[in-house]
Amino acid sequence: MTDATAAQLLSMDQAWDRRDTAPGQARATAQAQVGTAARTQALVVLAYLDWRTGQLSQATEHVTTAISTLRLGEPSVWLGRGLNILAALHSTLNRPDRAVELYEEQVSLARHIQHPELTATALHDLAVELRHSDPQRARAHITEALNTFRQLRSPFGVAIAHANLAEFDRDEGDLPGAYRHVQRALHYAHLDQHPHLEASLLSTLLVVLPAEAPQRERRRTRQRLEYLRTHSDNPELRATVALALAEHAPPGEAAELLSGALDDLQPLGDHVLLPELHERLSQSYSAQGHHEGALRHLQETLAYVRRTHVAERRQNIQTFEVLARIQALQDQAREERQRNHELQTHLQELRALNARIRELSRTDHLTRLANREHLFSEGHHLAQTVTPYTPLSAALIDIDHFKLVNDTWGHQTGDLVLQRVARMILDVTRPGDIAARYGGEEFVLLRAAPVEHLEGSCHDLQQLIRLHPWEDIAPGLQVTLSIGLAQTTEPQFDTLLGHADRRLYSVKRAGRNAIHLRD
């Protein structure tokens, strides 16, 4: 019997359990079940495997499809697993606010279905996401997760919790505490089956090894990291290891390691490790006297930060001041020593402001989508990046006869309908999309992709709307949507919305409850 044939005999729960220890067998099982009643579970397994091999776009597509179906049924462990994967993908692509929201939803679901392992996993991953923005809350969550993993006799859970507690201690300057956590995690018997965990532990170990540790231990650690880097197909793992090895390498060797990692990650989009790679490359080139290369990577670091926080910076005068100081620092970049010192200072200031920026009013209070101001800020920014090959698409979404809902069942019911529709719009978004409340009962969904891609998501949204049990909210209540679609390859965001608005009204004139892509 071949491995693939044997794999088909597994249940989906067994495939999930073997996703790390036997990924080939887990993938064969899932692929064999995609066309069966177990399709959603199979897509969750495939999403996890794709994520772990760096296929982020494919992982996102699989898990988004699975979650949209799973949300229609009863709360389940598979929905929790899907939420965890989607949150991890958002975190990887530098959308921490959405990642935290999904992890918190996973915690709530896991406690509702009374699943201790899923609860501990969600608390652990939420703690990692909150590590820099709310360290006290993060440590409480990860400590609770560690205790649960111990009670469940889950050695992998215990190991990964110790690995992250080591990073918490390192952040706080407690290197002996971090070293103790690393040593506990390294005792995990099957560490060789989890290269991501091993790479993270050994990277931390290089930093926290006591000064009196033998040089051969440092040498063995570096050799094992180099082995993991050269034998892994995952670009994120290779970049993590490259950052660790570069920390202890001469400038020329560090620049070579970091440049290779940068080449690996750039095809994945705005990966969370990119700014650190550019920043460290700037330092390496500066140490070699290569000022042009140092300035180029410094500019990339600043450009990345600007792309990530452009909307928030426009809403806070203090952020404008920070950007002005960073710009002044860039102007002085040719002065080698002063540049690197001041860059570090101002980047720290910018990171410290991030937590405050997130608290600003960029979210619609009722629906938790982006508000109109944030929509236009981000929309104008995205419109500046379009090309004939990379258009920007918009969907203008209107709840049909919404006034009748308010007049018949009251504004409280109307608010609940708005919240449900907003939730379903989020369910069909992809990383990088902008979902916003445009005003009243109108919403906008933006995507940097051809309009046909967005049209498919709108059909998925219509299906979710049709299947939703609106009668549970109010007897006789029915909800439908009218949607106008448009795309642009010109940097004219207002014109894009105008085209979508014209097509929305053509839907209304034709009887509503439809999608129009053309006039």
Side-chain angles (χ1 to χ4, degrees):
M1 181 181 295
T2 65
D3 290 343
T5 304
Q8 293 178 30
L9 301 177
L10 298 177
S11 70
M12 289 313 304
D13 281 321
Q14 289 172 323
W16 177 261
D17 290 340
R18 300 184 190 183
R19 67 195 185 281
D20 289 312
T21 56
Q25 193 178 31
R27 183 178 292 277
T29 297
Q31 289 173 335
Q33 296 295 331
V34 166
T36 72
R39 178 174 185 268
T40 51
Q41 294 94 324
L43 289 176
V44 171
V45 173
L46 289 172
Y48 178 90
L49 295 169
D50 289 339
W51 166 50
R52 278 311 195 187
T53 55
Q55 300 176 69
L56 304 188
S57 177
Q58 188 166 306
T60 301
E61 182 177 348
H62 282 151
V63 76
T64 301
T65 301
I67 288 174
S68 296
T69 302
L70 289 165
R71 284 193 191 281
L72 300 176
E74 293 296 321
S76 69
V77 67
W78 283 100
L79 176 57
R81 290 164 179 168
L83 291 170
N84 184 268
I85 295 167
L86 185 58
L89 287 163
H90 278 288
S91 178
T92 298
L93 295 172
N94 202 32
R95 295 189 67 190
D97 51 346
R98 184 74 177 116
V100 168
E101 182 180 325
L102 289 163
Y103 283 135
E104 288 176 339
E105 183 180 352
Q106 184 193 354
V107 172
S108 177
L109 180 146
R111 285 178 168 157
H112 174 71
I113 65 176
Q114 298 182 345
H115 196 290
E117 183 180 4
L118 189 63
T119 303
T121 300
L123 285 171
H124 172 274
D125 293 348
L126 175 60
V128 173
E129 195 63 46
L130 295 171
R131 172 180 156 200
H132 297 295
S133 61
D134 194 347
Q136 186 173 358
R137 179 183 169 200
R139 186 177 283 275
H141 283 331
I142 205 166
T143 302
E144 181 182 345
L146 175 60
N147 291 335
T148 302
F149 284 135
R150 284 172 173 161
Q151 292 168 7
L152 294 172
R153 301 182 185 277
S154 171
F156 175 70
V158 170
I160 202 167
H162 277 301
N164 284 293
L165 281 170
E167 298 204 10
F168 280 45
D169 283 347
R170 185 184 67 183
D171 291 346
E172 296 171 5
D174 181 6
L175 298 189
Y179 180 68
R180 287 193 294 273
H181 282 299
V182 169
Q183 290 300 316
R184 289 169 184 165
L186 286 172
H187 282 100
Y188 176 51
H190 303 291
L191 188 60
D192 60 323
Q193 298 174 355
H194 299 272
H196 291 268
L197 174 58
E198 185 178 7
S200 174
L201 282 169
L202 296 178
S203 298
T204 304
L205 183 61
L206 277 184
V207 177
V208 303
L209 267 173
E212 63 273 13
Q215 283 300 316
R216 63 178 178 274
E217 185 174 356
R218 297 181 189 276
R219 188 165 54 253
R220 279 200 306 269
T221 301
R222 285 194 294 268
Q223 289 171 345
R224 180 60 182 169
L225 281 169
E226 181 61 35
Y227 177 86
L228 290 172
R229 186 179 73 88
T230 56
H231 286 75
S232 173
D233 293 329
N234 187 290
E236 184 178 356
L237 185 149
R238 292 199 301 269
T240 299
V241 173
L243 282 166
L245 293 173
E247 183 74 22
H248 308 278
E253 183 181 336
E256 184 177 349
L257 283 166
L258 297 169
S259 296
L262 193 62
D263 291 341
D264 276 346
L265 282 186
Q266 282 180 328
L268 300 183
D270 274 354
H271 195 282
V272 71
L273 291 178
L274 284 178
E276 185 177 359
L277 284 169
H278 281 298
E279 184 180 349
R280 295 274 294 279
L281 264 170
S282 176
Q283 294 168 354
S284 297
Y285 283 133
S286 177
Q288 298 175 78
H290 185 356
H291 302 310
E292 182 179 351
L295 176 59
R296 184 176 70 254
H297 286 288
L298 171 62
Q299 290 170 329
E300 289 289 344
T301 305
L302 298 177
Y304 182 94
V305 173
R306 290 193 183 102
R307 285 199 305 273
T308 304
H309 303 293
V310 62
E312 292 88 342
R313 290 199 303 275
R314 291 171 181 166
Q315 297 177 27
N316 191 324
I317 187 63
Q318 289 179 311
T319 313
F320 273 115
E321 295 170 357
V322 171
L323 290 176
R325 290 197 295 271
I326 293 177
Q327 184 62 51
L329 174 61
Q330 182 179 355
D331 295 339
Q332 300 167 10
R334 293 183 182 85
E335 300 174 15
E336 179 182 340
R337 297 178 185 175
Q338 190 70 14
R339 180 193 63 239
N340 282 329
H341 173 72
E342 293 187 17
L343 172 64
Q344 201 61 332
T345 299
H346 290 299
L347 286 177
Q348 288 172 359
E349 289 179 8
L350 185 58
R351 283 192 286 265
L353 282 173
N354 284 346
R356 294 183 59 191
I357 291 171
R358 293 191 189 98
E359 297 172 3
L360 296 175
S361 179
R362 66 183 183 89
T363 303
D364 177 66
H365 176 72
L366 177 64
T367 63
R368 298 187 69 183
L369 299 182
N371 59 23
R372 185 184 180 94
E373 180 182 357
H374 187 70
L375 166 69
F376 275 87
S377 174
E378 286 291 290
H380 283 295
H381 171 69
L382 288 172
Q384 299 305 309
T385 67
V386 299
T387 72
Y389 306 102
T390 56
L392 175 63
S393 299
L396 188 53
I397 303 164
D398 182 81
I399 301 176
D400 294 330
H401 305 297
F402 184 71
K403 183 176 183 301
L404 181 62
V405 175
N406 283 331
D407 292 345
T408 305
W409 291 283
H411 287 276
Q412 186 173 1
T413 298
D415 287 349
L416 187 55
V417 169
L418 289 170
Q419 290 171 334
R420 294 285 178 89
V421 171
R423 175 73 260 179
M424 285 182 265
I425 290 174
L426 279 179
D427 284 342
V428 301
T429 60
R430 298 178 182 177
D433 287 357
I434 303 296
R437 187 180 181 189
Y438 190 52
E441 68 274 20
E442 289 188 326
F443 303 89
V444 170
L445 180 56
L446 297 180
R447 179 173 298 166
V451 71
E452 290 78 12
H453 294 194
L454 189 56
E455 182 185 19
S457 296
C458 289
H459 282 294
D460 291 341
L461 174 61
Q462 292 280 44
Q463 178 72 355
L464 293 176
I465 292 291
R466 281 192 292 271
L467 295 175
H468 192 75
W470 298 107
E471 290 274 351
D472 293 350
I473 298 177
L477 174 63
Q478 291 294 323
V479 174
T480 60
L481 302 180
S482 295
I483 303 175
L485 288 165
Q487 76 172 28
T488 184
T489 56
E490 302 291 335
Q492 302 295 333
F493 180 63
D494 292 335
T495 303
L496 172 67
L497 287 185
H499 291 324
D501 188 54
R502 189 169 65 252
R503 288 158 190 168
L504 171 63
Y505 276 93
S506 75
V507 176
K508 292 182 177 182
R509 288 193 300 269
R512 304 178 188 262
N513 189 24
I515 300 170
H516 277 194
L517 176 59
R518 295 176 178 83
D519 295 326

